[in-house]
């Protein structure tokens, strides 16, 4: 299963295996900044959760970007509108 890059630093992520008592546990950890998922006994679930985290942070980035662009768009539309109004 392919691991997406780290949502914090875009570093390479790796799946680490740990033994907790007699149970095999898995954790996805970023090799650059150390960000990690919680321990889970399901390898696929760990990887999925990690990949989902990147999707969420991408989404957050877009929302932030749009929110910061919105005032600019409104001003541009307003100025553009009055400019056209003057021309007509
Ligand atoms: Zn990282």
């Amino acid at each position: 299963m392919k691991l997406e890059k780290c949502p914090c630093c875009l570093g390479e992520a790796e799946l680490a295996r740990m033994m907790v008592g007699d149970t095999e546990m898995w954790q996805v950890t970023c090799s650059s900044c150390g960000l990690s998922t919680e321990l889970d006994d399901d390898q696929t679930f760990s990887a999925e959760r990690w990949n989902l985290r990147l999707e969420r942070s991408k989404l957050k980035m877009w929302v932030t970007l749009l929110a910061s662009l919105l005032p600019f768009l409104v001003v541009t539309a307003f100025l553009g509108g009055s400019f056209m109004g003057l021309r007509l």
Side-chain angles (χ1 to χ4, degrees):
M1 177 143 185
K2 189 184 168 289
L3 286 172
E4 299 291 340
K5 292 190 185 304
C6 172
C8 281
C9 67
L10 296 178
E12 293 298 327
E14 48 199 31
L15 196 62
R17 189 181 72 117
M18 264 168 251
M19 292 301 290
V20 181
D22 290 336
T23 319
E24 203 174 47
M25 301 289 269
W26 298 90
Q27 186 178 41
V28 181
T29 312
C30 168
S31 55
S32 301
C33 72
L35 183 81
S36 63
T37 61
E38 283 150 46
L39 279 169
D40 201 276
D41 57 3
D42 187 341
Q43 184 180 350
T44 316
F45 185 71
S46 288
E48 272 171 4
R49 198 150 47 170
W50 173 268
N51 292 344
L52 206 68
R53 200 182 275 192
L54 185 69
E55 288 307 308
R56 278 210 204 107
S57 76
K58 266 186 199 159
L59 195 69
K60 210 168 142 191
M61 190 191 83
W62 280 110
V63 169
T64 313
L65 193 69
L66 282 176
S68 57
L69 273 179
L70 200 61
F72 175 75
L73 289 175
V74 168
V75 169
T76 309
F78 179 75
L79 289 178
S82 44
F83 181 69
M84 300 288 262
L86 286 173
R87 290 286 299 268
L88 288 167

